[in-house]
Amino acid sequence: MKILALSIVVLFAIMLGGCYSMDVGTNTALQNSELVEGVDKPIEHVLISNYGWYLFNCIPLVCGNATPGESFPWKFFTDHVNPILLHDRMMTYANSKNANVKNIMFTRDEKVFFEVPGTEIPCPIPFLVCYPEIQLSGVLVKPGKTVKSGVKGKDGSK
């Protein structure tokens, strides 16, 4: 009986666990464009997201594991739904590609309703268990050549 109860708890935790993901997209249209003529060459679009479950919207229960190199996908009782942590992951990825990040966009969504797993039936859990999700996206660019200003100095030079 204890094994069955433990199995149900583990299954429930897995179904409601948090999730961290980093998706990278590129296509020829992105690679053949420029944000500013002659300056920045876009190479990839990066979207990083993480969500988790919090008790009373402040005590982390389970979140997606945003720690680099970890094999376990969840973190228990640790706040990994954190914009600073996701920003660090994006900057680390950009540095690994020798690129800069432009057009960074941050979104945060919090819910107190969730769908019963396997259905589309909403189940309210008013502020007892909350579900925040954050996303950070940006365009990785290869720095281009420096464009000189068209403004002349007092001596007539540019």
Side-chain angles (χ1 to χ4, degrees):
M1 190 64 165
K2 288 182 181 183
I3 294 174
L4 178 62
L6 181 61
S7 299
I8 290 172
V9 168
V10 168
L11 181 63
F12 189 69
I14 289 172
M15 288 175 22
L16 296 179
C19 182
Y20 166 82
S21 67
M22 179 165 52
D23 299 309
V24 178
T26 185
N27 62 28
T28 54
L30 178 66
Q31 291 177 341
N32 292 329
S33 65
E34 294 178 335
L35 295 176
V36 177
E37 188 175 337
V39 178
D40 297 324
K41 183 144 184 78
I43 55 172
E44 293 178 340
H45 182 262
V46 179
L47 173 66
I48 301 174
S49 68
N50 199 7
Y51 67 85
W53 296 93
Y54 287 70
L55 185 62
F56 304 116
N57 205 23
C58 61
I59 301 168
L61 298 174
V62 61
C63 301
N65 190 350
T67 306
E70 292 288 325
S71 59
F72 197 67
W74 305 289
K75 277 287 206 187
F76 294 94
F77 311 112
T78 305
D79 183 15
H80 272 225
V81 181
N82 182 318
I84 295 170
L85 182 62
L86 266 57
H87 183 268
D88 288 346
R89 290 297 305 268
M90 180 174 284
M91 294 300 120
T92 301
Y93 181 75
N95 287 338
S96 74
K97 296 285 191 172
N98 294 322
N100 295 327
V101 183
K102 299 281 186 174
N103 301 334
I104 294 177
M105 177 70 82
F106 173 77
T107 60
R108 180 177 179 91
D109 186 27
E110 293 185 15
K111 297 179 182 166
V112 293
F113 285 88
F114 75 96
E115 293 178 358
V116 175
T119 70
E120 293 185 16
I121 301 170
C123 180
I125 305 178
F127 292 108
L128 177 62
V129 177
C130 297
Y131 167 85
E133 178 179 3
I134 59 174
Q135 293 183 340
L136 185 69
S137 70
V139 178
L140 295 187
V141 296
K142 287 284 187 187
K145 57 188 172 195
T146 305
V147 177
K148 292 186 179 180
S149 170
V151 179
K152 292 184 180 183
K154 288 184 179 181
D155 63 352
S157 64
K158 284 189 180 182

